[in-house]
mmCIF file of all heavy atoms in Angstrom:
data_model
loop_
_atom_site.group_PDB
_atom_site.id
_atom_site.type_symbol
_atom_site.label_atom_id
_atom_site.label_comp_id
_atom_site.label_asym_id
_atom_site.label_seq_id
_atom_site.Cartn_x
_atom_site.Cartn_y
_atom_site.Cartn_z
ATOM 1 N N ALA Q 23 76.797 91.181 101.999
ATOM 2 C CA ALA Q 23 77.845 91.448 102.995
ATOM 3 C C ALA Q 23 78.699 90.210 103.232
ATOM 4 O O ALA Q 23 79.935 90.290 103.254
ATOM 5 C CB ALA Q 23 77.214 91.932 104.296
ATOM 6 N N LYS Q 24 78.056 89.070 103.387
ATOM 7 C CA LYS Q 24 78.817 87.833 103.594
ATOM 8 C C LYS Q 24 79.694 87.534 102.385
ATOM 9 O O LYS Q 24 80.847 87.108 102.528
ATOM 10 C CB LYS Q 24 77.875 86.665 103.857
ATOM 11 C CG LYS Q 24 77.208 86.716 105.220
ATOM 12 C CD LYS Q 24 76.219 85.569 105.372
ATOM 13 C CE LYS Q 24 75.549 85.533 106.713
ATOM 14 N NZ LYS Q 24 74.548 84.442 106.795
ATOM 15 N N GLY Q 25 79.161 87.751 101.193
ATOM 16 C CA GLY Q 25 79.943 87.540 99.970
ATOM 17 C C GLY Q 25 81.156 88.454 99.916
ATOM 18 O O GLY Q 25 82.253 88.025 99.512
ATOM 19 N N ILE Q 26 80.978 89.694 100.328
ATOM 20 C CA ILE Q 26 82.090 90.648 100.351
ATOM 21 C C ILE Q 26 83.183 90.149 101.292
ATOM 22 O O ILE Q 26 84.361 90.098 100.916
ATOM 23 C CB ILE Q 26 81.594 92.047 100.778
ATOM 24 C CG1 ILE Q 26 80.759 92.684 99.651
ATOM 25 C CG2 ILE Q 26 82.759 92.956 101.162
ATOM 26 C CD1 ILE Q 26 80.008 93.944 100.062
ATOM 27 N N PHE Q 27 82.807 89.779 102.505
ATOM 28 C CA PHE Q 27 83.812 89.347 103.481
ATOM 29 C C PHE Q 27 84.502 88.054 103.049
ATOM 30 O O PHE Q 27 85.711 87.893 103.228
ATOM 31 C CB PHE Q 27 83.202 89.196 104.873
ATOM 32 C CG PHE Q 27 82.706 90.501 105.438
ATOM 33 C CD1 PHE Q 27 81.462 90.591 106.024
ATOM 34 C CD2 PHE Q 27 83.476 91.648 105.374
ATOM 35 C CE1 PHE Q 27 80.997 91.785 106.544
ATOM 36 C CE2 PHE Q 27 83.033 92.857 105.888
ATOM 37 C CZ PHE Q 27 81.786 92.928 106.480
ATOM 38 N N LYS Q 28 83.734 87.149 102.474
ATOM 39 C CA LYS Q 28 84.326 85.892 102.004
ATOM 40 C C LYS Q 28 85.322 86.161 100.875
ATOM 41 O O LYS Q 28 86.424 85.607 100.856
ATOM 42 C CB LYS Q 28 83.217 84.949 101.529
ATOM 43 C CG LYS Q 28 83.730 83.596 101.104
ATOM 44 C CD LYS Q 28 82.611 82.671 100.716
ATOM 45 C CE LYS Q 28 83.202 81.346 100.264
ATOM 46 N NZ LYS Q 28 82.320 80.612 99.414
ATOM 47 N N TYR Q 29 84.951 87.029 99.952
ATOM 48 C CA TYR Q 29 85.836 87.355 98.840
ATOM 49 C C TYR Q 29 87.100 88.058 99.340
ATOM 50 O O TYR Q 29 88.207 87.738 98.898
ATOM 51 C CB TYR Q 29 85.111 88.224 97.813
ATOM 52 C CG TYR Q 29 85.974 88.543 96.623
ATOM 53 C CD1 TYR Q 29 86.298 87.554 95.696
ATOM 54 C CD2 TYR Q 29 86.490 89.818 96.433
ATOM 55 C CE1 TYR Q 29 87.113 87.838 94.601
ATOM 56 C CE2 TYR Q 29 87.298 90.109 95.345
ATOM 57 C CZ TYR Q 29 87.605 89.116 94.433
ATOM 58 O OH TYR Q 29 88.415 89.394 93.363
ATOM 59 N N LEU Q 30 86.937 88.993 100.260
ATOM 60 C CA LEU Q 30 88.107 89.679 100.799
ATOM 61 C C LEU Q 30 89.074 88.690 101.441
ATOM 62 O O LEU Q 30 90.286 88.792 101.259
ATOM 63 C CB LEU Q 30 87.691 90.755 101.809
ATOM 64 C CG LEU Q 30 87.027 91.992 101.221
ATOM 65 C CD1 LEU Q 30 86.548 92.927 102.333
ATOM 66 C CD2 LEU Q 30 87.953 92.733 100.269
ATOM 67 N N LYS Q 31 88.520 87.731 102.161
ATOM 68 C CA LYS Q 31 89.380 86.712 102.781
ATOM 69 C C LYS Q 31 90.115 85.919 101.700
ATOM 70 O O LYS Q 31 91.307 85.627 101.834
ATOM 71 C CB LYS Q 31 88.567 85.788 103.667
ATOM 72 C CG LYS Q 31 89.446 84.750 104.346
ATOM 73 C CD LYS Q 31 88.698 83.935 105.333
ATOM 74 C CE LYS Q 31 89.627 82.850 105.824
ATOM 75 N NZ LYS Q 31 89.836 82.798 107.190
ATOM 76 N N GLU Q 32 89.407 85.570 100.621
ATOM 77 C CA GLU Q 32 90.018 84.813 99.526
ATOM 78 C C GLU Q 32 91.186 85.554 98.896
ATOM 79 O O GLU Q 32 92.147 84.930 98.446
ATOM 80 C CB GLU Q 32 88.973 84.494 98.450
ATOM 81 C CG GLU Q 32 87.957 83.457 98.860
ATOM 82 C CD GLU Q 32 86.817 83.304 97.859
ATOM 83 O OE1 GLU Q 32 86.886 83.887 96.745
ATOM 84 O OE2 GLU Q 32 85.842 82.616 98.194
ATOM 85 N N ILE Q 33 91.099 86.877 98.851
ATOM 86 C CA ILE Q 33 92.183 87.657 98.236
ATOM 87 C C ILE Q 33 93.181 88.170 99.277
ATOM 88 O O ILE Q 33 94.026 89.005 98.977
ATOM 89 C CB ILE Q 33 91.645 88.808 97.351
ATOM 90 C CG1 ILE Q 33 90.816 89.808 98.162
ATOM 91 C CG2 ILE Q 33 90.854 88.253 96.171
ATOM 92 C CD1 ILE Q 33 90.406 91.052 97.375
ATOM 93 N N GLY Q 34 93.061 87.640 100.509
ATOM 94 C CA GLY Q 34 94.044 87.927 101.541
ATOM 95 C C GLY Q 34 93.859 89.223 102.310
ATOM 96 O O GLY Q 34 94.815 89.746 102.872
ATOM 97 N N VAL Q 35 92.637 89.735 102.344
ATOM 98 C CA VAL Q 35 92.361 90.981 103.055
ATOM 99 C C VAL Q 35 91.500 90.678 104.271
ATOM 100 O O VAL Q 35 90.441 90.067 104.142
ATOM 101 C CB VAL Q 35 91.637 91.997 102.139
ATOM 102 C CG1 VAL Q 35 91.283 93.257 102.908
ATOM 103 C CG2 VAL Q 35 92.486 92.314 100.919
ATOM 104 N N GLN Q 36 91.965 91.100 105.442
ATOM 105 C CA GLN Q 36 91.206 90.917 106.681
ATOM 106 C C GLN Q 36 90.521 92.223 107.057
ATOM 107 O O GLN Q 36 91.156 93.268 107.091
ATOM 108 C CB GLN Q 36 92.125 90.497 107.828
ATOM 109 C CG GLN Q 36 92.545 89.067 107.766
ATOM 110 C CD GLN Q 36 91.412 88.091 108.102
ATOM 111 O OE1 GLN Q 36 90.261 88.439 108.240
ATOM 112 N NE2 GLN Q 36 91.770 86.845 108.216
ATOM 113 N N VAL Q 37 89.250 92.141 107.350
ATOM 114 C CA VAL Q 37 88.486 93.298 107.814
ATOM 115 C C VAL Q 37 88.315 93.147 109.319
ATOM 116 O O VAL Q 37 87.834 92.124 109.794
ATOM 117 C CB VAL Q 37 87.101 93.362 107.136
ATOM 118 C CG1 VAL Q 37 86.341 94.594 107.597
ATOM 119 C CG2 VAL Q 37 87.237 93.354 105.628
ATOM 120 N N SER Q 38 88.699 94.171 110.049
ATOM 121 C CA SER Q 38 88.603 94.088 111.504
ATOM 122 C C SER Q 38 87.249 94.593 112.002
ATOM 123 O O SER Q 38 86.586 95.409 111.348
ATOM 124 C CB SER Q 38 89.711 94.906 112.158
ATOM 125 O OG SER Q 38 89.464 96.289 112.003
ATOM 126 N N ALA Q 39 86.882 94.109 113.169
ATOM 127 C CA ALA Q 39 85.660 94.585 113.819
ATOM 128 C C ALA Q 39 85.750 96.084 114.066
ATOM 129 O O ALA Q 39 84.757 96.804 113.954
ATOM 130 C CB ALA Q 39 85.443 93.832 115.127
ATOM 131 N N GLU Q 40 86.947 96.557 114.364
ATOM 132 C CA GLU Q 40 87.148 97.985 114.622
ATOM 133 C C GLU Q 40 86.855 98.824 113.383
ATOM 134 O O GLU Q 40 86.250 99.885 113.479
ATOM 135 C CB GLU Q 40 88.578 98.250 115.120
ATOM 136 C CG GLU Q 40 88.874 97.679 116.483
ATOM 137 C CD GLU Q 40 89.174 96.176 116.474
ATOM 138 O OE1 GLU Q 40 89.532 95.610 115.397
ATOM 139 O OE2 GLU Q 40 89.023 95.549 117.529
ATOM 140 N N ASP Q 41 87.298 98.339 112.207
ATOM 141 C CA ASP Q 41 87.024 99.070 110.959
ATOM 142 C C ASP Q 41 85.527 99.162 110.704
ATOM 143 O O ASP Q 41 85.007 100.223 110.339
ATOM 144 C CB ASP Q 41 87.692 98.385 109.765
ATOM 145 C CG ASP Q 41 89.211 98.552 109.735
ATOM 146 O OD1 ASP Q 41 89.726 99.499 110.366
ATOM 147 O OD2 ASP Q 41 89.870 97.728 109.077
ATOM 148 N N ILE Q 42 84.839 98.044 110.879
ATOM 149 C CA ILE Q 42 83.391 98.005 110.627
ATOM 150 C C ILE Q 42 82.661 98.893 111.632
ATOM 151 O O ILE Q 42 81.794 99.693 111.254
ATOM 152 C CB ILE Q 42 82.859 96.568 110.688
ATOM 153 C CG1 ILE Q 42 83.514 95.716 109.599
ATOM 154 C CG2 ILE Q 42 81.336 96.550 110.557
ATOM 155 C CD1 ILE Q 42 83.303 94.226 109.762
ATOM 156 N N THR Q 43 83.020 98.765 112.898
ATOM 157 C CA THR Q 43 82.357 99.547 113.941
ATOM 158 C C THR Q 43 82.601 101.039 113.743
ATOM 159 O O THR Q 43 81.672 101.855 113.884
ATOM 160 C CB THR Q 43 82.839 99.094 115.333
ATOM 161 O OG1 THR Q 43 82.564 97.693 115.466
ATOM 162 C CG2 THR Q 43 82.134 99.854 116.436
ATOM 163 N N ALA Q 44 83.816 101.408 113.403
ATOM 164 C CA ALA Q 44 84.124 102.827 113.174
ATOM 165 C C ALA Q 44 83.299 103.380 112.017
ATOM 166 O O ALA Q 44 82.738 104.482 112.112
ATOM 167 C CB ALA Q 44 85.619 103.009 112.901
ATOM 168 N N ARG Q 45 83.197 102.612 110.926
ATOM 169 C CA ARG Q 45 82.399 103.080 109.786
ATOM 170 C C ARG Q 45 80.927 103.171 110.174
ATOM 171 O O ARG Q 45 80.242 104.137 109.852
ATOM 172 C CB ARG Q 45 82.573 102.151 108.591
ATOM 173 C CG ARG Q 45 81.683 102.473 107.387
ATOM 174 C CD ARG Q 45 81.913 103.873 106.814
ATOM 175 N NE ARG Q 45 83.108 103.935 106.035
ATOM 176 C CZ ARG Q 45 83.158 103.707 104.726
ATOM 177 N NH1 ARG Q 45 82.071 103.435 104.054
ATOM 178 N NH2 ARG Q 45 84.314 103.766 104.125
ATOM 179 N N GLY Q 46 80.436 102.150 110.857
ATOM 180 C CA GLY Q 46 79.040 102.154 111.274
ATOM 181 C C GLY Q 46 78.711 103.341 112.161
ATOM 182 O O GLY Q 46 77.670 103.985 111.995
ATOM 183 N N THR Q 47 79.599 103.645 113.080
ATOM 184 C CA THR Q 47 79.380 104.784 113.976
ATOM 185 C C THR Q 47 79.413 106.095 113.203
ATOM 186 O O THR Q 47 78.539 106.948 113.374
ATOM 187 C CB THR Q 47 80.445 104.792 115.096
ATOM 188 O OG1 THR Q 47 80.350 103.560 115.824
ATOM 189 C CG2 THR Q 47 80.254 105.961 116.038
ATOM 190 N N SER Q 48 80.395 106.254 112.335
ATOM 191 C CA SER Q 48 80.524 107.519 111.590
ATOM 192 C C SER Q 48 79.392 107.727 110.595
ATOM 193 O O SER Q 48 79.025 108.866 110.312
ATOM 194 C CB SER Q 48 81.877 107.598 110.886
ATOM 195 O OG SER Q 48 81.940 106.707 109.795
ATOM 196 N N GLU Q 49 78.829 106.631 110.085
ATOM 197 C CA GLU Q 49 77.753 106.740 109.089
ATOM 198 C C GLU Q 49 76.358 106.643 109.711
ATOM 199 O O GLU Q 49 75.369 106.745 109.005
ATOM 200 C CB GLU Q 49 77.912 105.649 108.027
ATOM 201 C CG GLU Q 49 79.179 105.735 107.212
ATOM 202 C CD GLU Q 49 79.188 106.877 106.211
ATOM 203 O OE1 GLU Q 49 78.115 107.463 105.935
ATOM 204 O OE2 GLU Q 49 80.273 107.198 105.698
ATOM 205 N N GLY Q 50 76.289 106.391 111.018
ATOM 206 C CA GLY Q 50 74.993 106.328 111.690
ATOM 207 C C GLY Q 50 74.227 105.038 111.463
ATOM 208 O O GLY Q 50 73.002 105.025 111.477
ATOM 209 N N TRP Q 51 74.952 103.927 111.273
ATOM 210 C CA TRP Q 51 74.287 102.636 111.101
ATOM 211 C C TRP Q 51 73.568 102.265 112.390
ATOM 212 O O TRP Q 51 74.012 102.609 113.493
ATOM 213 C CB TRP Q 51 75.290 101.539 110.787
ATOM 214 C CG TRP Q 51 76.030 101.671 109.489
ATOM 215 C CD1 TRP Q 51 75.890 102.633 108.532
ATOM 216 C CD2 TRP Q 51 77.067 100.806 109.025
ATOM 217 N NE1 TRP Q 51 76.771 102.411 107.510
ATOM 218 C CE2 TRP Q 51 77.503 101.299 107.782
ATOM 219 C CE3 TRP Q 51 77.663 99.672 109.541
ATOM 220 C CZ2 TRP Q 51 78.507 100.689 107.036
ATOM 221 C CZ3 TRP Q 51 78.671 99.065 108.811
ATOM 222 C CH2 TRP Q 51 79.083 99.561 107.561
ATOM 223 N N ASN Q 52 72.493 101.532 112.257
ATOM 224 C CA ASN Q 52 71.809 100.981 113.417
ATOM 225 C C ASN Q 52 72.814 100.103 114.169
ATOM 226 O O ASN Q 52 73.490 99.279 113.554
ATOM 227 C CB ASN Q 52 70.606 100.157 112.947
ATOM 228 C CG ASN Q 52 69.840 99.527 114.074
ATOM 229 O OD1 ASN Q 52 70.374 98.744 114.846
ATOM 230 N ND2 ASN Q 52 68.560 99.854 114.150
ATOM 231 N N PRO Q 53 72.942 100.263 115.490
ATOM 232 C CA PRO Q 53 73.928 99.471 116.237
ATOM 233 C C PRO Q 53 73.741 97.961 116.097
ATOM 234 O O PRO Q 53 74.735 97.219 116.054
ATOM 235 C CB PRO Q 53 73.704 99.905 117.690
ATOM 236 C CG PRO Q 53 73.090 101.261 117.583
ATOM 237 C CD PRO Q 53 72.264 101.241 116.339
ATOM 238 N N GLU Q 54 72.500 97.490 115.995
ATOM 239 C CA GLU Q 54 72.268 96.050 115.814
ATOM 240 C C GLU Q 54 72.706 95.600 114.421
ATOM 241 O O GLU Q 54 73.216 94.498 114.257
ATOM 242 C CB GLU Q 54 70.799 95.704 116.072
ATOM 243 C CG GLU Q 54 70.399 95.836 117.521
ATOM 244 C CD GLU Q 54 71.225 94.947 118.444
ATOM 245 O OE1 GLU Q 54 71.391 93.745 118.140
ATOM 246 O OE2 GLU Q 54 71.736 95.457 119.457
ATOM 247 N N PHE Q 55 72.484 96.438 113.419
ATOM 248 C CA PHE Q 55 72.956 96.149 112.064
ATOM 249 C C PHE Q 55 74.476 95.998 112.098
ATOM 250 O O PHE Q 55 75.029 95.024 111.582
ATOM 251 C CB PHE Q 55 72.549 97.289 111.109
ATOM 252 C CG PHE Q 55 73.038 97.107 109.695
ATOM 253 C CD1 PHE Q 55 72.236 96.509 108.738
ATOM 254 C CD2 PHE Q 55 74.295 97.555 109.299
ATOM 255 C CE1 PHE Q 55 72.677 96.341 107.423
ATOM 256 C CE2 PHE Q 55 74.748 97.391 108.002
ATOM 257 C CZ PHE Q 55 73.933 96.781 107.060
ATOM 258 N N THR Q 56 75.142 96.962 112.732
ATOM 259 C CA THR Q 56 76.595 96.930 112.822
ATOM 260 C C THR Q 56 77.071 95.665 113.524
ATOM 261 O O THR Q 56 78.015 95.008 113.067
ATOM 262 C CB THR Q 56 77.116 98.175 113.563
ATOM 263 O OG1 THR Q 56 76.630 99.349 112.894
ATOM 264 C CG2 THR Q 56 78.631 98.208 113.594
ATOM 265 N N LYS Q 57 76.406 95.295 114.596
ATOM 266 C CA LYS Q 57 76.783 94.103 115.352
ATOM 267 C C LYS Q 57 76.665 92.853 114.483
ATOM 268 O O LYS Q 57 77.522 91.973 114.517
ATOM 269 C CB LYS Q 57 75.892 93.965 116.586
ATOM 270 C CG LYS Q 57 76.358 92.894 117.551
ATOM 271 C CD LYS Q 57 75.421 92.684 118.708
ATOM 272 C CE LYS Q 57 75.260 93.905 119.564
ATOM 273 N NZ LYS Q 57 74.417 93.661 120.756
ATOM 274 N N LYS Q 58 75.604 92.772 113.687
ATOM 275 C CA LYS Q 58 75.432 91.617 112.800
ATOM 276 C C LYS Q 58 76.546 91.562 111.751
ATOM 277 O O LYS Q 58 77.111 90.502 111.486
ATOM 278 C CB LYS Q 58 74.065 91.652 112.138
ATOM 279 C CG LYS Q 58 72.938 91.312 113.079
ATOM 280 C CD LYS Q 58 71.710 90.925 112.305
ATOM 281 C CE LYS Q 58 70.567 90.590 113.223
ATOM 282 N NZ LYS Q 58 70.771 89.397 114.019
ATOM 283 N N VAL Q 59 76.858 92.700 111.160
ATOM 284 C CA VAL Q 59 77.902 92.750 110.137
ATOM 285 C C VAL Q 59 79.251 92.344 110.734
ATOM 286 O O VAL Q 59 79.996 91.559 110.137
ATOM 287 C CB VAL Q 59 77.961 94.149 109.479
ATOM 288 C CG1 VAL Q 59 79.149 94.270 108.543
ATOM 289 C CG2 VAL Q 59 76.658 94.435 108.716
ATOM 290 N N VAL Q 60 79.554 92.849 111.912
ATOM 291 C CA VAL Q 60 80.794 92.465 112.596
ATOM 292 C C VAL Q 60 80.808 90.957 112.850
ATOM 293 O O VAL Q 60 81.825 90.289 112.636
ATOM 294 C CB VAL Q 60 80.957 93.250 113.923
ATOM 295 C CG1 VAL Q 60 82.041 92.631 114.794
ATOM 296 C CG2 VAL Q 60 81.259 94.706 113.644
ATOM 297 N N GLY Q 61 79.682 90.409 113.270
ATOM 298 C CA GLY Q 61 79.594 88.968 113.529
ATOM 299 C C GLY Q 61 79.879 88.137 112.294
ATOM 300 O O GLY Q 61 80.598 87.134 112.367
ATOM 301 N N TRP Q 62 79.327 88.550 111.163
ATOM 302 C CA TRP Q 62 79.587 87.811 109.918
ATOM 303 C C TRP Q 62 81.057 87.892 109.550
ATOM 304 O O TRP Q 62 81.654 86.893 109.151
ATOM 305 C CB TRP Q 62 78.737 88.341 108.777
ATOM 306 C CG TRP Q 62 77.276 88.233 108.986
ATOM 307 C CD1 TRP Q 62 76.600 87.257 109.681
ATOM 308 C CD2 TRP Q 62 76.277 89.139 108.517
ATOM 309 N NE1 TRP Q 62 75.253 87.508 109.658
ATOM 310 C CE2 TRP Q 62 75.024 88.649 108.961
ATOM 311 C CE3 TRP Q 62 76.308 90.310 107.777
ATOM 312 C CZ2 TRP Q 62 73.822 89.290 108.676
ATOM 313 C CZ3 TRP Q 62 75.116 90.952 107.494
ATOM 314 C CH2 TRP Q 62 73.890 90.441 107.937
ATOM 315 N N ALA Q 63 81.635 89.076 109.643
ATOM 316 C CA ALA Q 63 83.052 89.241 109.300
ATOM 317 C C ALA Q 63 83.926 88.385 110.207
ATOM 318 O O ALA Q 63 84.868 87.738 109.737
ATOM 319 C CB ALA Q 63 83.444 90.715 109.396
ATOM 320 N N ASP Q 64 83.610 88.377 111.499
ATOM 321 C CA ASP Q 64 84.388 87.574 112.444
ATOM 322 C C ASP Q 64 84.271 86.080 112.156
ATOM 323 O O ASP Q 64 85.263 85.354 112.212
ATOM 324 C CB ASP Q 64 83.950 87.856 113.885
ATOM 325 C CG ASP Q 64 84.430 89.207 114.392
ATOM 326 O OD1 ASP Q 64 85.303 89.824 113.752
ATOM 327 O OD2 ASP Q 64 83.909 89.650 115.442
ATOM 328 N N LYS Q 65 83.059 85.621 111.837
ATOM 329 C CA LYS Q 65 82.868 84.195 111.529
ATOM 330 C C LYS Q 65 83.674 83.794 110.301
ATOM 331 O O LYS Q 65 84.325 82.752 110.292
ATOM 332 C CB LYS Q 65 81.382 83.893 111.280
ATOM 333 C CG LYS Q 65 80.600 83.641 112.518
ATOM 334 C CD LYS Q 65 79.198 83.204 112.140
ATOM 335 C CE LYS Q 65 78.527 82.567 113.334
ATOM 336 N NZ LYS Q 65 77.222 82.018 112.976
ATOM 337 N N ILE Q 66 83.612 84.612 109.278
ATOM 338 C CA ILE Q 66 84.331 84.296 108.043
ATOM 339 C C ILE Q 66 85.838 84.332 108.293
ATOM 340 O O ILE Q 66 86.574 83.459 107.835
ATOM 341 C CB ILE Q 66 83.895 85.234 106.911
ATOM 342 C CG1 ILE Q 66 82.454 84.874 106.497
ATOM 343 C CG2 ILE Q 66 84.850 85.166 105.721
ATOM 344 C CD1 ILE Q 66 81.773 85.856 105.599
ATOM 345 N N ALA Q 67 86.297 85.299 109.055
ATOM 346 C CA ALA Q 67 87.732 85.407 109.358
ATOM 347 C C ALA Q 67 88.237 84.204 110.136
ATOM 348 O O ALA Q 67 89.377 83.769 109.951
ATOM 349 C CB ALA Q 67 88.006 86.689 110.135
#
């Protein structure tokens, strides 16, 4: 996940917390899992 977010940043793509949270909610991700993923994306951004 961290590699994905870092690579996206390198190619000029920003992933928002809203995008991650919306996907996590729609797919039934564990809320703590989603929170961690959002945190990594935010740190990298």
Side-chain angles (χ1 to χ4, degrees):
K24 288 176 178 177
I26 288 169
F27 296 133
K28 184 177 178 203
Y29 182 71
L30 288 175
K31 182 174 174 123
E32 289 172 9
I33 61 173
V35 177
Q36 284 288 9
V37 182
S38 72
E40 293 79 20
D41 287 339
I42 298 167
T43 302
R45 175 60 77 91
T47 301
S48 72
E49 297 287 346
W51 295 358
N52 179 300
E54 291 301 312
F55 178 94
T56 304
K57 190 185 298 184
K58 287 199 180 293
V59 173
V60 166
W62 299 328
D64 286 347
K65 276 186 164 185
I66 289 168

